[in-house]
Amino acid sequence: QQPVQSPQAVILREGEDAVINCSSSKALYSVHWYRQKHGEAPVFLMILLKGGEQKGHDKISASFNEKKQQSSLYLTASQLSYSGTYFCGTGYSGGYQKVTFGTGTKLQVIP
Amino acid sequence: GAVVSQHPSWVICKSGTSVKIECRSLDFQATTMFWYRQFPKQSLMLMATSNEGSKATYEQGVEKDKFLINHASLTLSTLTVTSAHPEDSSFYICSARDWETQYFGPGTRLLVL
């Protein structure tokens, strides 16, 4: 079953922060985050493998709450280049298995 | 990060013809590759998992006889859309697994007239 992301869409001004949530109805083994710009393939951002793990680079970070079967992506001090559609991808069993992509969140950063 | 290429980028074909799409991992070996389809403004839907040297695993609802997958080497998987029809028009994206991470190719836009 497809993970549900919220919000569906968000508009930010440069410098503002945003949080994107990914929620699964099934127990999660891993969470992957991707950004896709219009007309292009998704680009890998990060993967979280353990419940409670937090990761980040530059001003984009993510957390994984295994108990709640949720992950959140945090974008701070947003830049114009952050615009795109963000997808979470979830893995449901131990070891690497297929990834099921979430419903997507469209983010637009304006000057 | 790892690089995955896809060829061709764009295909326009007549209804009833077959189209082959190649997916290559350029700087790493991938025992597992994945094929996705994405319709406009929708998420990526997994079509099949391609395993080197063995048969692909198809997702429910995906016709294996229509979407032929061959993973002949550790760096190449191909998807052939047989007897394509207008409803097969879509954005087809492959990805290759490198340890725990999937790296995506640039995608192939297929338009069937």
Side-chain angles (χ1 to χ4, degrees), chain A residues 2 29 32 34 36 39-42 44 47 49 87 95-99 101-103, chain B residues 34 36 38 42-46 59 91 93 97 99-102 104-107 109:
Chain A
Q2 189 175 34
Y29 170 77
H32 312 229
Y34 295 86
Q36 184 179 31
E40 300 178 8
F44 171 76
I47 180 174
L49 290 173
F87 292 101
Y96 192 90
Q97 302 294 331
K98 63 185 181 184
V99 169
F101 280 80
T103 50
Chain B
F34 301 90
Y36 294 85
Q38 186 178 35
Q42 292 187 23
S43 186
L44 287 79
M45 299 306 295
L46 180 65
E59 294 301 299
F91 188 41
I93 312 173
R97 179 168 77 86
W99 295 99
E100 296 282 358
T101 303
Q102 278 192 54
F104 284 84
R109 294 206 176 275

Side-chain angles (χ1 to χ4, degrees), chain B residues 23-55:
Chain B
C23 177
R24 292 181 187 272
S25 56
L26 297 185
D27 50 2
F28 66 102
Q29 293 183 329
T31 54
T32 305
M33 292 184 175
F34 301 90
W35 287 96
Y36 294 85
R37 182 166 51 182
Q38 186 178 35
F39 292 106
K41 297 187 179 180
Q42 292 187 23
S43 186
L44 287 79
M45 299 306 295
L46 180 65
M47 298 175 68
T49 302
S50 171
N51 300 299
E52 187 268 336
S54 64
K55 289 182 180 179

Side-chain angles (χ1 to χ4, degrees), chain A residues 21-58:
Chain A
N21 299 302
C22 173
S23 185
S24 171
S25 59
K26 292 167 57 176
L28 297 174
Y29 170 77
S30 63
V31 180
H32 312 229
W33 284 97
Y34 295 86
R35 176 172 58 215
Q36 184 179 31
K37 294 195 179 274
H38 182 68
E40 300 178 8
V43 172
F44 171 76
L45 294 176
M46 65 188 79
I47 180 174
L48 299 100
L49 290 173
K50 297 177 187 176
E53 184 176 21
Q54 292 195 19
K55 266 191 182 178
H57 55 83
D58 291 333

Side-chain angles (χ1 to χ4, degrees), chain B residues 11-17 19 81 83-90 92 109-113:
Chain B
V11 181
I12 301 175
C13 68
K14 290 184 179 180
S15 187
T17 59
V19 175
V81 183
S83 187
H85 289 98
E87 58 266 28
D88 298 324
S89 299
S90 188
Y92 290 86
R109 294 206 176 275
L110 172 64
L111 177 61
V112 185
L113 303 175

